[in-house]
Amino acid sequence: MPGEDPTHDAAPGAEPAAELATELATERAYTDTCRAALDRTDAATRQRVREGAGVVTGRHSGDAAEEGVAGDGASAEALGRYLRSRAKEVREEPDGPPFFGRLDFRSEGPAGDEAGEHRGQRYYIGRRRVSAHPSAPPLVLDWRAPVSRAFYQATARAPQGVGSRRRFGWAPGGPGTAADLTGLEDEPLADAGAGGDGTASALSSGIVAEEIERPRVGPMRDIVATLQPEQDDLVRSGPGTSLCVQGAPGTGKTAVGLHRAAYLLYTYPRRIERGGLLVVGPNAAFLHYISAVLPSLGEGGVRQCTVADLLPAHEVTAEDAPDAVEVKHDARMASVLHRALYARVRLPDGPLAVPDGSYRWRLDEEELHAIVEETLAQQPPYEVGRERVRARTVALLRDRAERRAGPPGGEWLRRMGRKRELTAFLDAVWPRTRPEEVVAGLLGDPRVLAAAGEGLLEAHEQRALLWAGRRPRTPRTARWSRADLLLLDEVAGLIEHPEESFGHVVVDEAQDLSPMECRILARRSRFGSLTVLGDLAQGTTAWAARDWRSQLTHLGAPDAVLTPLTTGFRVPAALVEVANRLLGSLGVRVPAARSLRPGGELTRVPVSAPAEVPAVVAERVRGALEREGSVGVIAAGARVAALRDALSAAGVPSAEPGEEASAPRAAGEEASAARVTVVGAELSKGLEYDHVVLVEPAEIARSGPRGLQRLYVALTRAVSRLEIVGARELPAAVRA
């Protein structure tokens, strides 16, 4: 069996091999018990889904009484949606090992006292709870259960009542049967005061090291079996605390964010599920890469999208000049749009007369002025303000009626609120409007833009924004650019709160969001509960953040707890060292990364002439394919298509980011197309490959104002091996 080693024992004082072999046989038997329980649970769930679906079908065929469905057709349809969703979750829940760890708590002495209610207990830890019956004691605890925390946090210095921690090795990619259990390690935890910290302990484990270094092919894996103490602290922070993780490359910030999402869904289901959970990534390739993590942790139904996916669904038929795009992403546009919207409000220009049968109520202009001015001062959402003016105007009418004939009834108040004269008054002072009308009116009329932008936008910025040559006759005929959609969403949020909001929002690569993009996410955070992930050193957009506090303010979480992650587990030390040389040139202050993984292969491949670069790249990729794992070819974006063609001509098929999982595989091995990805440096953020061929880093460094940041990203995508291929002289920092 590949990888099987019953003497897998990184811990000091390991048991003899024969005893370990006996233990391994015992654990395989326990695996069979757990697998049988899981199979029964899944079968029972599927049966309930089938029975429930039959009930719903019966309800629609008139058999509600016999089938016992309560409520009306809408209730039955809601039940049907739930059952279909549950059936989909059961089908898609990935298979895998039923457990990855075990905790043996002490029963005697001070450590036994520290164990408390867990004294003498043994717990298996896995990705989901396993039990023979819902009311039976669990065979395996969910990794998010409170007692499971000791698996990640207990150390020899602070054992938390744990006598021994066991880690299990499993054959990669297997379904988690007893035959897939290949090894185990026991780590006895000494009395308090001995040993090192939890990170050092975990990384001394051969099983942990093998899992971290296992070849990366296909989507991102969860790291639930290898979470380190500082990562676990972040994962288990509650929803009342917004969290910002400044994570150096390879520190697992993305994994921390996704595992925190899974933890919140498990621990605070009512709060989070009521509002839903949103994961926002920088692009579709990145979202594809992380798509399997939450399902592998037992959590489905989480929306994962880009910021652009949240914008109004208008067809993009126009393109802005770069200077216009930059202004439209600027935070000042929020104030400009606010002015443009509320400039539509007008003070009354006379009294209001409202008929009531044969009587006519009259409200003075001064009274109406006060209502509109007070409402404007309160700055409510635009549509709320309109209804507030209506309600206050009706309240004035009610006061008149009370003085004349006593308190009017509710029907009278509703009738007065619907009076044509009152609605005409509202349309005059606080007219209804649509985002398209406001944005088209602003960008299509220099006078409106000058008034709204006074003191906020320079004259050249206003000229850049104006729709030269494409001013529409009406908002319906407007041609929208991508950046215009940001403005439409901002105005929609000013008119009324978005219908779609979420109980918690996870934002990855947040340093690359513009202020206006940040505001889109802030509007959709129902409770202001966010997990913000990023690295200022990897900011590659024109508006990338240079400090977290201002970015968090735009995201609506100015008081978020800012925590750095600097200890890397993915990028080897030799590769981190090269990337760290660039930090002083990036214009941001971030702590340097350090790697706890020694080694790493760094190879420089000079090429004598630029025309020879594609052929050399193809040769290096063929060599990389002789070893296990994924291969990423990273270059400046303009070079990607030519490199893909050169690889194809050399008989090396490649995939675009996101295509790897669907690429064809030969029997028993991954086809090269599933293992080779060609990607522009600007799109490589968040991705990882066992072997990276970095092409002409000098081109990447000169690819615009953020070229050095793109190079920093590209240098940190390799898990094991990095080859730098180029004919041009390397940037000074990389050359050192």
Side-chain angles (χ1 to χ4, degrees):
M1 183 187 312
E4 181 171 339
D5 181 8
T7 62
H8 219 327
D9 56 350
E15 299 170 275
E19 191 170 342
L20 278 172
T22 301
E23 285 291 310
L24 189 59
T26 301
E27 299 293 13
R28 283 174 171 162
Y30 196 76
T31 301
D32 286 334
T33 300
C34 294
R35 293 300 323 178
L38 279 170
D39 292 344
R40 286 194 299 271
T41 299
D42 289 348
T45 300
R46 291 188 177 93
Q47 181 61 29
R48 286 197 297 271
V49 168
R50 285 193 294 270
E51 290 174 353
V55 168
V56 173
T57 303
R59 172 65 179 89
H60 286 290
S61 62
D63 299 332
E66 291 79 10
E67 299 288 359
V69 174
D72 55 14
S75 300
E77 182 57 33
L79 175 60
R81 284 195 300 271
Y82 166 77
L83 292 169
R84 289 190 294 273
S85 173
R86 181 66 185 126
K88 183 173 183 289
E89 289 176 12
V90 170
R91 286 195 308 271
E92 294 182 354
E93 193 166 279
D95 220 342
F99 52 82
F100 53 79
R102 194 183 87 182
L103 289 174
D104 291 358
F105 283 87
R106 297 189 183 186
S107 58
E108 300 175 351
D113 295 337
E114 187 182 10
E117 62 180 319
H118 306 299
R119 178 195 294 264
Q121 295 295 315
R122 169 175 292 174
Y123 300 118
Y124 286 80
I125 314 298
R127 288 168 176 80
R128 59 185 280 198
R129 186 182 189 273
V130 180
S131 62
H133 186 273
S135 61
L139 298 168
V140 178
L141 292 176
D142 192 292
W143 66 277
R144 296 163 288 190
V147 68
S148 299
R149 186 170 196 185
F151 182 79
Y152 304 104
Q153 296 286 344
T155 66
R157 189 172 291 149
Q160 302 183 20
V162 177
S164 176
R165 171 170 42 218
R166 175 168 287 186
R167 302 179 192 275
F168 297 95
W170 298 85
T177 62
D180 294 324
L181 180 56
T182 60
L184 57 87
E185 291 175 348
D186 280 338
E187 181 187 358
L189 299 180
D191 292 333
D197 63 21
T199 300
S201 168
L203 293 180
S204 69
S205 160
I207 285 177
V208 172
E210 285 179 7
E211 175 61 24
I212 291 174
E213 296 176 6
R214 181 152 61 91
R216 264 74 171 168
V217 177
M220 179 182 178
R221 306 189 299 264
D222 69 70
I223 61 167
V224 66
T226 60
L227 276 173
Q228 302 306 305
E230 65 271 29
Q231 295 172 326
D232 182 67
D233 286 336
L234 299 174
V235 165
R236 293 178 191 267
S237 54
T241 301
S242 284
L243 185 66
C244 176
V245 180
Q246 159 60 43
T251 56
K253 57 183 177 294
T254 297
V256 164
L258 295 173
H259 286 68
R260 188 185 187 212
Y263 173 79
L264 293 175
L265 286 164
Y266 173 87
T267 312
Y268 306 94
R270 291 185 180 178
R271 171 168 178 161
I272 304 302
E273 289 179 358
R274 184 171 68 247
L277 197 144
L278 174 68
V279 175
V280 179
N283 51 58
F286 178 86
L287 291 172
H288 175 84
Y289 179 61
I290 68 171
S291 62
V293 173
L294 285 171
S296 75
L297 298 173
E299 298 298 345
V302 174
R303 183 172 183 190
Q304 301 186 39
C305 68
T306 65
V307 171
D309 295 329
L310 299 170
L311 294 174
H314 285 289
E315 184 180 3
V316 173
T317 57
E319 186 172 346
D320 287 317
D323 52 351
V325 173
E326 194 162 345
V327 177
K328 289 177 181 180
H329 278 267
D330 194 286
R332 293 172 295 164
M333 283 305 299
S335 299
V336 172
L337 292 166
H338 187 278
R339 286 182 182 178
L341 174 62
Y342 283 89
R344 295 172 173 261
V345 176
R346 299 283 186 269
L347 291 174
D349 59 0
L352 171 65
V354 181
D356 182 13
S358 61
Y359 198 80
R360 185 176 293 270
W361 303 106
R362 186 178 187 278
L363 301 178
D364 295 335
E365 181 180 339
E366 291 76 13
E367 295 175 296
L368 299 173
H369 264 250
I371 289 175
V372 175
E373 288 175 335
E374 288 171 7
T375 304
L376 272 174
Q378 294 167 350
Q379 294 293 296
Y382 187 86
E383 192 62 29
V384 172
R386 174 183 166 94
E387 294 309 309
R388 195 168 290 175
V389 170
R390 183 197 301 272
R392 290 180 173 179
T393 304
V394 171
L396 283 180
L397 297 173
R398 181 198 61 208
D399 293 343
R400 298 282 199 279
E402 282 182 353
R403 288 197 293 271
R404 184 170 185 268
E411 177 55 36
W412 184 90
L413 293 172
R414 287 188 290 272
R415 179 162 49 85
M416 298 307 289
R418 294 193 298 266
K419 283 287 185 179
R420 183 175 66 249
E421 293 77 5
L422 181 56
T423 299
F425 162 73
L426 283 173
D427 290 341
V429 301
W430 205 293
R432 277 208 165 94
T433 190
R434 297 167 53 246
E436 292 79 4
E437 294 171 345
V438 176
V439 175
L442 176 72
L443 303 184
D445 191 328
R447 293 170 300 176
V448 175
L449 183 56
E454 184 179 2
L456 293 171
L457 301 177
E458 301 291 338
H460 70 91
E461 293 175 317
Q462 294 183 29
R463 288 193 297 272
L465 287 176
L466 280 171
W467 280 350
R470 60 181 178 103
R471 181 176 178 178
R473 293 191 184 90
T474 68
R476 291 183 180 276
T477 60
R479 295 171 52 226
W480 304 106
S481 69
R482 293 189 187 281
D484 289 336
L485 303 187
L486 299 174
L487 311 187
L488 290 171
D489 194 79
E490 178 73 24
V491 176
L494 291 171
I495 293 175
E496 55 187 339
H497 293 299
E499 292 183 7
E500 186 180 43
S501 61
F502 298 86
H504 189 80
V505 180
V506 178
V507 190
D508 208 345
E509 303 298 349
Q511 79 282 345
D512 272 339
L513 297 178
S514 71
M516 293 296 284
E517 289 173 323
C518 288
R519 291 176 63 84
I520 290 168
L521 300 180
R523 283 191 289 277
R524 286 161 175 80
S525 175
R526 177 175 297 185
F527 308 114
S529 178
L530 293 97
T531 300
V532 181
L533 312 165
D535 180 8
L536 297 177
Q538 297 186 59
T540 56
T541 58
W543 40 77
R546 296 190 178 275
D547 72 90
W548 279 119
R549 281 300 156 204
S550 59
Q551 193 78 336
L552 291 169
T553 298
H554 295 313
L555 283 165
D559 299 323
V561 176
L562 177 58
T563 303
L565 279 180
T566 58
T567 303
F569 313 100
R570 173 173 60 82
V571 186
L575 309 188
V576 168
E577 179 186 352
V578 174
N580 279 345
R581 295 174 192 163
L582 283 175
L583 287 179
S585 306
L586 302 185
V588 294
R589 297 184 62 182
V590 297
R594 70 185 185 99
S595 177
L596 292 183
R597 284 185 61 204
E601 297 180 24
L602 174 62
T603 306
R604 292 182 173 88
V605 185
V607 182
S608 57
E612 298 174 7
V613 168
V616 174
V617 169
E619 177 188 348
R620 306 310 295 192
V621 170
R622 276 198 297 265
L625 287 172
E626 294 176 2
R627 304 168 78 167
E628 278 191 293
S630 56
V631 181
V633 179
I634 303 179
R639 188 182 274 271
V640 166
L643 285 172
R644 193 172 287 124
D645 291 343
L647 286 172
S648 179
V652 181
S654 62
E656 295 184 21
E659 293 180 344
E660 302 93 328
S662 58
R665 285 171 167 78
E669 64 176 3
E670 290 83 14
S672 60
R675 295 173 55 198
V676 181
T677 303
V678 183
V679 60
E682 66 279 4
L683 294 179
S684 65
K685 199 175 303 175
L687 306 179
E688 56 184 28
Y689 305 97
D690 294 284
H691 188 118
V692 166
V693 178
L694 178 59
V695 184
E696 291 290 14
E699 288 182 0
I700 298 172
R702 293 196 298 268
S703 62
R706 297 280 180 156
L708 284 176
Q709 282 84 351
R710 295 188 185 97
L711 179 56
Y712 179 77
V713 172
L715 286 168
T716 54
R717 299 304 95 202
V719 175
S720 299
R721 302 175 295 279
L722 172 64
E723 292 188 274
I724 300 176
V725 178
R728 294 173 172 81
E729 186 177 20
L730 296 174
V734 181
R735 208 184 321 133

